[in-house]
Amino acid sequence: MTLTRRHLLGMGAALGGVAALGGWSLWQGRGQSPLLLSARNDDAGRHYCAGYFLDGSRAFATPVAERCHDVARHPFLPLALFVGRRPSRESYLVDLRDGRLLQTVHSQPQRHFYGHAVFHGSGDWLYATENDLSEPGRGVLGRYRLDRQSLQLIHEGEVPTHGVGPHQLAWMPDGESLVVANGGIRTEGSREKTNLDSMAPSLVIMDRQGELLSKETLQHQQSSIRHLAVADDGTVVTGQQYQGEAWESVPLLAVKRPGQPYQPFPVAASQLAMMDQYTASIAIHSRRRQVAMTAPRGNRFFVWDLDTAATLIEVPMADCAGVGVVDDGFAVTSGQGRCRYFGYRDGQQASHWLDLPGGWWDNHLRLG
């Protein structure tokens, strides 16, 4: 992320609070290997907020009460929110230098977390997808202000997501509007799906004050829009989870290019069959114009050319989970097997195992 003058001014104001924790400059210079952040379980089913450098050294593994899903990295401070997985009522703000738990963020009454959140570029605000249990299925974005002195997130209201069952969200390139994947599935504070015959998935672009800018749908009503990534030029790619019959062939990727309608991203029928109606994590390498996707139920990892949809990488990988962009390619975690690096350049595929612990990684990762 490029630091702007606004960010630097904000950083200076924030360092008062951060300084109390000490060692920011030392942490910033620690090691040359990117830091991978992800939720993780152990063999006994205990839950952790985990940070590992890609060279295999462990930064921290902080035990927490509830399983987390995605990680919202602060844009310039050594902080991240590990977001509770649906229907969790807790998320965890962690100091990335040592894994110290700074705050357990509790959801508001009649709300639960949906596993995803993002910090605004100013560093002052966090937006989290949540479910309104008083009107089940009504999606909201919880708005949280980061108090820079106490380094605590404070709930400051919410705005609607203009859809049902919001899941992942991301900033558009302007840094002020958000794209939200409304999965379309109602839940009543549990993981039970209560409206499979009347689902209403939608892809929404809205500003952070809640104003709806666009709302589009796909042809198949039971194609739940779950995860997404945004390229530097504003191209949005989404991954779906189909709730219909197992034998039906339904597009599981879709793309919204700037100025064009939201439509299926063309992949081979054989690839669709291998995905087993379920996609997980999406990542876009903007510089290389590549989009990567994990299909954990199908034990398959894919990379396509973002512009032509040509397949660049298609490999088996046991329970592949999170995928994130690294310098020349992608880092991929696994819920059962080992983690791996994949790259594609000049017509050649490159791959090697990563020195990270195998198994039990959750479906998303962030690199910092």
Side-chain angles (χ1 to χ4, degrees):
M1 175 179 180
T2 302
L3 291 180
T4 64
R5 182 174 180 275
R6 180 183 61 178
H7 293 145
L8 291 171
L9 291 171
M11 186 188 307
L15 283 176
V18 174
L21 301 172
W24 160 234
S25 60
L26 291 176
W27 183 90
Q28 192 177 33
R30 178 181 173 184
Q32 301 300 311
S33 181
L35 178 63
L36 183 150
L37 305 171
S38 179
R40 179 174 162 80
N41 290 346
D42 65 13
D43 291 343
R46 291 170 296 211
H47 313 303
Y48 296 87
C49 303
Y52 279 81
F53 294 99
L54 285 187
D55 62 10
S57 58
R58 191 176 85 173
F60 59 86
T62 305
V64 291
E66 298 194 13
R67 180 180 171 184
C68 297
H69 193 53
D70 200 0
V71 183
R73 175 77 163 81
H74 192 278
F76 49 82
L77 295 178
L79 305 171
L81 185 74
F82 288 72
V83 189
R85 179 175 181 265
R86 174 177 66 93
S88 174
R89 295 173 185 268
E90 291 187 1
S91 294
Y92 307 98
L93 186 66
V94 170
D95 181 341
L96 299 183
R97 294 164 302 174
D98 55 12
R100 184 166 19 147
L101 180 60
L102 299 173
Q103 181 187 8
T104 297
V105 181
H106 298 279
S107 65
Q108 296 297 296
Q110 295 298 309
R111 302 287 184 273
H112 70 70
F113 295 114
Y114 261 127
H116 291 271
V118 289
F119 274 99
H120 182 245
S122 68
D124 291 331
W125 294 94
L126 177 128
Y127 298 82
T129 50
E130 300 177 5
N131 189 21
D132 178 357
L133 295 173
S134 64
E135 187 179 333
R138 186 181 81 94
V140 301
L141 295 185
R143 300 174 71 247
Y144 297 81
R145 178 176 58 82
L146 179 66
D147 183 283
R148 298 213 172 171
Q149 293 303 313
S150 65
L151 296 175
Q152 299 283 288
L153 287 165
I154 300 167
H155 188 263
E156 296 276 8
E158 64 186 26
V159 294
T161 68
H162 309 281
V164 174
H167 198 64
Q168 192 166 11
L169 75 169
W171 293 106
M172 295 298 286
D174 64 9
E176 294 296 321
S177 54
L178 289 152
V179 56
V180 182
N182 287 306
I185 300 175
R186 279 183 52 179
T187 55
E188 318 293 333
S190 70
R191 295 189 65 80
E192 181 183 4
K193 302 166 184 174
T194 63
N195 68 329
L196 294 183
D197 293 331
S198 58
M199 288 174 52
S202 62
L203 185 73
V204 158
I205 298 178
M206 55 187 283
D207 70 19
R208 65 189 183 105
Q209 284 74 42
E211 181 179 355
L212 179 65
L213 303 178
S214 69
K215 182 175 183 176
E216 296 178 86
T217 60
L218 296 170
Q219 176 184 357
H220 295 88
Q221 184 188 34
Q222 290 185 304
S223 191
S224 179
I225 306 166
R226 308 287 290 176
H227 297 120
L228 53 81
V230 182
D232 287 349
D233 69 345
T235 298
V236 180
V237 177
T238 67
Q240 284 75 248
Q241 297 172 2
Y242 186 59
Q243 305 296 317
E245 301 295 346
W247 59 81
E248 294 182 276
S249 181
V250 174
L252 293 176
L253 263 77
V255 60
K256 178 170 178 55
R257 302 185 190 276
Q260 298 183 22
Y262 183 44
Q263 57 191 309
F265 185 89
V267 303
S270 59
Q271 293 177 340
L272 277 179
M274 284 186 283
M275 295 174 195
D276 197 15
Q277 311 290 36
Y278 189 94
T279 68
S281 189
I282 304 274
I284 293 178
H285 200 305
S286 288
R287 179 165 49 85
R288 298 206 176 282
R289 300 296 292 174
Q290 297 172 1
V291 55
M293 191 203 75
T294 59
R297 290 185 181 174
N299 300 307
R300 214 79 179 175
F301 174 69
F302 301 90
V303 178
W304 296 275
D305 185 293
L306 180 59
D307 298 313
T308 67
T311 300
L312 306 180
I313 298 174
E314 177 190 326
V315 292
M317 183 171 175
D319 198 15
C320 51
V323 56
V325 173
V326 292
D327 186 35
D328 290 329
F330 300 93
V332 187
T333 57
S334 168
Q336 296 180 21
R338 295 180 63 188
C339 304
R340 193 157 184 164
Y341 161 85
F342 292 97
Y344 184 89
R345 185 175 183 179
D346 299 328
Q348 298 294 319
Q349 176 180 321
S351 172
H352 61 261
W353 298 108
L354 295 170
D355 291 325
L356 295 168
W360 304 117
W361 297 91
D362 212 90
N363 271 0
H364 299 281
L365 67 84
R366 298 290 162 185
L367 289 153

